[in-house]
Amino acid sequence: MNKILVTGGTGYIGSHTVVELLQAGYEVVVVDDLSNSGIEVLDSIEKITGKRPLFEKFDLSDRELTLDFFGRVSGISAIIHFAASKAVGESVEKPLLYYRNNLVSLMNILECQLKFGVQHIVFSSSCTVYGQPDHLPVTEATPRKDAESPYGNTKRVNEDILRDTIAANPVLKGIALRYFNPVGAHPSALIGELPLGVPQNLVPFITQTAAGIRDELHVFGDDYNTPDGSAIRDYINVVDLSKAHVVAIERLLAGKNRQNYEVFNLGTGKGVSVLEMVRTFEKATGVNLKYTVVGRRAGDIEKIWADTSYANRELGWKALSGLEETLRSAWEWEKGCGGYKLLIYK
Ligand code: UD1
């Protein structure tokens, strides 16, 4: 049985991916510093899969601790590296925190891969590396643009660190997955997105507004050059997204990769506006959502969606869930994750 290290495995996308890996028969070791997630997530993973991943709590930007971990835990076949700070606004205020956390942790992991002979890595990247593209939809060949935030820049620089380290060490094989907007929750409603404090992202803000925790949703701008004036994104179901990680791992372990470093867009190929999201949520759940249109949010782009044909063809993977079903899953999670709420609404 192949053993997969999942960093950030108690986080939003990480936890869903751990579930998919366990269900696909992999052994999983989770490393997370729990800075933005709770240890209870492991219980939920166990409830869903009947299996409990091994777990170690430490910060991967600590080189000594990372070296120690790899020295002790043998037999890791591949790594999926999710662990990172991800709040765009916070990154503007605390750039050094973001550069240290996000860049140093990947560098430590790559150093350990070389030292301890772990060949394969899948890296969590983001469509943020494309900025506002000149042409839509975005293919993997679309040029990257300067990042709008230190957070976005860490994704871009980490891609470069990975690409250059693999070029210098052909023993390493890596895949960067550029996520569009992951949303929704596991159909069990046992794991989902758990933002600390006031949510910055659209869907958790929608579900918290529907639940009465927030007074109303602010729609950031209705004067964009889009059919209804609100901004457009490509919202991908988190379980569909997680399954792509299992496919990427299988690709690397089976040596099916075409290059030592590969990049894939993970989206649905469909652009949806903020106002369409509101309407689809209402239709899917029967809950009326109070919202007001306010000014644009600084740093937001107007529209982006993925060309998924390369990922569909090469990975044999496709995002299958409909948006209504996905938003219903986010709502079920919002209603069901009661115990955790005490932790997060402070
Ligand atoms: C943001 C980041 C992206 C990051 C991702 C991580 C920016 C520019 N991009 O994506 O780099 O990878 O989060 O989760 O910050 N919206 C509202 N009201 C709200 C919240 C959002 O109208 O209360 C709108 C936004 O203006 C945007 C859309 O909803 O048009 C999606 O926003 P969000 O969920 O924050 O994702 P991104 O901004 O696309």
Side-chain angles (χ1 to χ4, degrees), residues 206-220:
I206 287 179
T207 56
Q208 289 194 10
T209 306
I213 298 160
R214 310 289 161 201
D215 291 340
E216 60 175 5
L217 170 73
H218 286 166
V219 172
F220 297 138

Side-chain angles (χ1 to χ4, degrees), residues 88 126 128 151 181 201-202 218 220 231 233 235 297 299-300:
V88 175
S126 164
T128 194
Y151 158 78
N181 287 54
N201 294 114
L202 179 62
H218 286 166
F220 297 138
R233 300 287 185 274
Y235 296 93
R297 181 171 68 176
D300 264 352

